[in-house]
Amino acid sequence: MSGETVSGETVSGETVRGETSRALVLERFGSLPRLIERPLPPPQPGHTVVRMLAAQVGHLDLNIVDGRFGILPDLPVVPGTNGSGIVLSSDTHPEGSLVRVNGKGVGLRRDGCWAEHAVVPDAAVKAVPEGTDPALACGFFSPAGTAWAAVHSVAAVRPGERVLVTGAAGAVGALTVQVAARAGAEVIGVVGRPAKLDHVPAPTKPVLAAELSPETVGGQVDVLIDTVGGSVLRDALDLVRPRGRAVLVGYTAGREFAVDLADFLLADVALLPVNLMTRGREVAADAERLLAELSAGELTLPIERHSPDRLAEAVTRLRTGEAMGKVVLDLS
Ligand SMILES: NC(=O)c1ccc[n+]([C@@H]2O[C@H](COP(=O)([O-])OP(=O)(O)OC[C@H]3O[C@@H](n4cnc5c(N)ncnc54)[C@H](OP(=O)(O)O)[C@@H]3O)[C@@H](O)[C@H]2O)c1
């Protein structure tokens, strides 16, 4: 995938490959996008052309590919709500600079980042410090912003509180346990399979979901931050103290769970949603700060890299919960 050109110009001394570009194109909801060679997307006013280097494969992207999300694009479409790359042409962003792309309907209402080239609204493009790993640049914002929003904006975790985090070896979960620990909480991290116990970042106490009980958790918790949903949410809710808070982030293990309303009132636990789409601006500065710490190795976000022609494998690993952390397509 080398040798890029826009309007016939070479970029960073690379060889010109031609006026075509590879993209993963979704033609039917419920199928997987196909990798095709197509003409370079033409520049448009108010838009930036980005040579993508990396793109996230996230659960939101899979919900869109499956046609199971409240906002869906017209087909055919290039999925990919988060990516990173080099600016090829733009009226507002310096050419040759490293940027990340997300928001403004990218991968949701218009073509996204699962392509060598993307033409995206200028406002969807954000500067990233030079030297940042492109995979980290495209993958950090969703887990970092969501972890920060869950711990600080929604749960308002206080020092000394006990916080239970599910999916604690996942992308959002791994950052959530670290952000909660830094907020002064005692953190317990829940994982679904024994292989993940060693992948929960310190200083969290790891616990298997199948063994969740007041004994294994050490009594009730003040806060639950759930990234898994389904039956895991139902079981974990029982461990929250009366007047505690339960924050729902995701639903990888199931979109539904039944609540007995009488029990819900008796338990007196607030169940609160996190929506990064409505909180992205509010947490942007904090997420950027976390990026600096991730780059410096002071925080951990595991990343799996996959080639775009192995999309099916990447998707399977994410869907089954086998993936360790952020799943990223290497488009370089
Ligand atoms: N609310 C928001 O604004 C927002 C923002 C970002 C992400 N999210 C959502 O948060 C959730 C977690 O995102 P993430 O990026 O952290 O994902 P992730 O890295 O894949 O982690 C999700 C975890 O869910 C668990 N899991 C249980 N059953 C699963 C199954 N059947 N398939 C896949 N995973 C399963 C896995 O942990 P165990 O194996 O340990 O159980 C997995 O590590 C997703 O639902 C995502 O859409 C929401």
Side-chain angles (χ1 to χ4, degrees):
M1 286 198 191
S2 65
E4 315 314 328
T5 172
V6 164
S7 306
E9 293 170 21
T10 55
V11 177
S12 308
E14 291 183 28
T15 324
V16 175
R17 189 184 76 203
E19 298 287 330
T20 60
S21 169
R22 292 204 298 167
L24 284 156
V25 178
L26 179 71
E27 291 158 333
R28 189 168 47 81
F29 291 120
S31 66
L32 274 188
R34 277 194 314 127
L35 188 59
I36 61 167
E37 188 97 23
R38 60 177 194 168
L40 273 179
Q44 295 171 37
H47 287 62
T48 296
V49 183
V50 181
R51 169 62 175 97
M52 305 306 304
L53 296 176
Q56 174 180 317
V57 180
H59 292 282
L60 172 60
D61 301 307
L62 298 193
N63 287 334
I64 294 165
V65 164
D66 290 345
R68 301 192 71 207
F69 195 66
I71 308 165
L72 289 174
D74 294 333
L75 299 181
V77 73
V78 176
T81 51
N82 287 268
S84 65
I86 304 289
V87 173
L88 293 188
S89 71
S90 177
D91 292 336
T92 52
H93 300 285
E95 290 177 20
S97 59
L98 180 64
V99 293
R100 66 183 175 87
V101 174
N102 97 304
K104 298 293 162 200
V106 168
L108 196 54
R109 288 194 205 91
R110 64 185 82 224
D111 278 348
C113 302
W114 292 3
E116 288 180 327
H117 295 86
V119 182
V120 294
D122 294 335
V125 176
K126 286 101 183 169
V128 172
E130 289 304 324
T132 303
D133 173 1
L136 187 56
C138 82
F140 85 96
F141 189 79
S142 166
T146 307
W148 191 271
V151 171
H152 290 288
S153 313
V154 181
V157 170
R158 294 182 288 269
E161 287 195 310
R162 306 187 74 238
V163 177
L164 186 68
V165 179
T166 63
V172 177
L175 272 176
T176 300
V177 298
Q178 295 170 82
V179 170
R182 283 175 168 207
E186 178 195 342
V187 188
I188 305 115
V190 183
V191 292
R193 51 194 89 193
K196 289 190 177 174
L197 285 168
D198 291 340
H199 292 267
V200 179
T204 314
K205 176 188 173 183
V207 175
L208 268 179
E211 293 172 3
L212 260 190
S213 72
E215 290 70 41
T216 55
V217 166
Q220 288 188 310
V221 298
D222 302 289
V223 173
L224 163 68
I225 300 179
D226 177 40
T227 74
V228 173
S231 61
V232 175
L233 170 60
R234 189 196 56 221
D235 294 347
L237 265 178
D238 288 345
L239 298 170
V240 185
R241 69 164 167 82
R243 302 252 184 132
R245 295 90 77 203
V247 176
L248 177 63
V249 173
Y251 44 83
T252 46
R255 294 168 77 111
E256 295 174 359
F257 81 113
V259 182
D260 181 302
L261 292 177
D263 289 348
F264 181 66
L265 294 176
L266 196 61
D268 201 359
V269 172
L271 180 55
L272 307 162
V274 177
N275 182 350
L276 188 62
M277 287 185 192
T278 61
R279 291 185 184 268
R281 199 171 295 192
E282 171 188 326
V283 299
D286 297 301
E288 306 279 354
R289 226 171 6 81
L290 296 184
L291 171 61
E293 297 184 64
L294 285 162
S295 290
E298 291 157 17
L299 287 172
T300 310
L301 174 62
I303 293 178
E304 282 196 10
R305 294 157 210 259
H306 296 264
S307 155
D309 48 18
R310 309 290 296 270
L311 177 73
E313 184 183 331
V315 166
T316 300
R317 287 186 58 77
L318 190 64
R319 281 196 203 280
T320 56
E322 280 170 71
M324 290 288 187
K326 202 81 249 175
V327 176
V328 166
L329 295 177
D330 181 353
L331 301 162
S332 60

